[in-house]
Amino acid sequence: AGGVIEVAVVSAGAALAGRALRDAGLPHDVVVGTIVRAGVVVVPRGESVLTPGDRVTLIGKKDDVERAMRELSMPVVPTEPTP
């Protein structure tokens, strides 16, 4: 499978918002190239925390990058407690 470079915007309530990269559980074959926060380039490190509005450059295999993009942009849907 071919490699791709994509940019995703972190959405409020997304699964990875508020999490450090080291704890984000991104697919193994995805690299975060840059984070742009409020117009400033942040060099990503393990302790870098993703915040809503961040523009994140993802590099890797197409399927893995697409999965990471979903996790960055789709809000977490809370589950209803069962009675």
Side-chain angles (χ1 to χ4, degrees):
V4 295
I5 299 172
E6 296 285 350
V7 176
V9 177
V10 179
S11 298
L16 301 183
R19 296 181 70 182
L21 285 176
R22 75 164 60 88
D23 302 324
L26 289 170
H28 182 71
D29 290 325
V30 171
V31 173
V32 175
T34 60
I35 300 169
V36 178
R37 180 174 295 143
V40 177
V41 174
V42 176
V43 176
R45 307 204 184 286
E47 66 271 9
S48 300
V49 176
L50 298 170
T51 60
D54 285 353
R55 295 176 53 83
V56 180
T57 303
L58 303 168
I59 306 163
K61 294 180 181 177
K62 185 176 188 291
D63 291 344
D64 292 330
V65 168
E66 287 174 353
R67 185 176 125 215
M69 289 182 70
R70 285 191 301 274
E71 292 173 4
L72 288 166
S73 61
M74 292 179 62
V76 175
V77 177
T79 56
E80 294 293 322
T82 54

